[in-house]
């Protein structure tokens, strides 16, 4: 029973981190082109990229503390829903500033699966197994970064930016 729980939690966290990085990788290669089509300057495109990191940086400690109060599982599910919603905002952004808002919200939403997911692993795995579990969870990040851009490229070629 305990082994099944640990395996299930590990798979869910790997998939959550993978989903975050996949969504990130699907869109990021095409952001400069889309931002330019909305009239953005190169400086504004730099701001667009920085907005994700800024929101992630600010939100991570907040969601870490919140996961202690409300529970990791609820927060993890909420974070995945929020990531899906931010992807929709990208698709329908008709102005540069809505695109910046989408990036800020994506950074905010990304902080949730990272903090709640890794904390959940720390809760479920004993100290002796934690490093292995965290390493496996981080493979979700690598897989998302690896697969996002080529899949995004295929989708972009098939239907343009809004098809991502």
């Amino acid at each position: 029973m305990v082994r099944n729980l640990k395996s299930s939690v590990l798979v869910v966290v790997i998939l959550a981190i993978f989903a975050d990085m996949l969504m990130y990788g699907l869109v990021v290669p095409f952001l400069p082109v889309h931002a330019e089509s909305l009239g953005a300057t190169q400086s504004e495109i730099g701001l667009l990229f920085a907005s994700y990191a800024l929101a992630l940086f600010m939100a991570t400690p907040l969601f870490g503390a919140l996961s202690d109060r409300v529970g990791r599982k609820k927060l993890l599910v909420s974070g995945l829903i929020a990531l899906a919603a931010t992807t929709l905002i990208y698709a329908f952004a008709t102005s540069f500033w809505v695109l910046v808002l989408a990036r800020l919200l994506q950074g905010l939403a990304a902080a949730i699966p990272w903090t709640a997911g890794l904390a959940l692993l720390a809760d479920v795995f004993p100290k002796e197994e934690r490093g292995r579990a965290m390493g496996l969870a981080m493979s979700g990040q690598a897989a998302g970064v690896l697969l996002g851009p080529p899949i995004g490229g295929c989708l972009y070629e098939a239907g343009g930016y809004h098809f991502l």
Side-chain angles (χ1 to χ4, degrees), residues 43-106:
S43 296
E44 289 172 331
I45 292 171
L47 172 69
L48 178 64
F49 276 90
S51 61
Y52 173 89
L54 175 66
L56 183 64
F57 177 74
M58 293 175 61
T60 299
L62 299 172
F63 285 118
L66 188 61
S67 78
D68 290 337
R69 278 188 251 131
V70 302
R72 295 24 160 148
K73 293 174 189 174
K74 288 178 188 175
L75 202 56
L76 187 58
V77 170
S78 300
L80 293 173
I81 292 168
L83 279 170
T86 62
T87 303
L88 291 174
I89 296 171
Y90 272 115
F92 297 106
T94 56
S95 78
F96 171 75
W97 294 107
V98 173
L99 210 51
V100 170
L101 176 64
R103 290 284 292 164
L104 283 166
L105 292 174
Q106 185 186 34

Side-chain angles (χ1 to χ4, degrees), residues 8-50:
S8 297
V9 166
L10 182 58
V11 167
V12 167
V13 173
I14 290 170
L15 290 174
I17 291 172
F18 170 76
D20 172 38
M21 296 314 295
L22 181 72
M23 286 185 209
Y24 182 89
L26 284 171
V27 175
V28 166
F30 309 102
L31 275 180
V33 172
H34 187 58
E36 282 180 346
S37 76
L38 296 174
T41 66
Q42 291 303 308
S43 296
E44 289 172 331
I45 292 171
L47 172 69
L48 178 64
F49 276 90

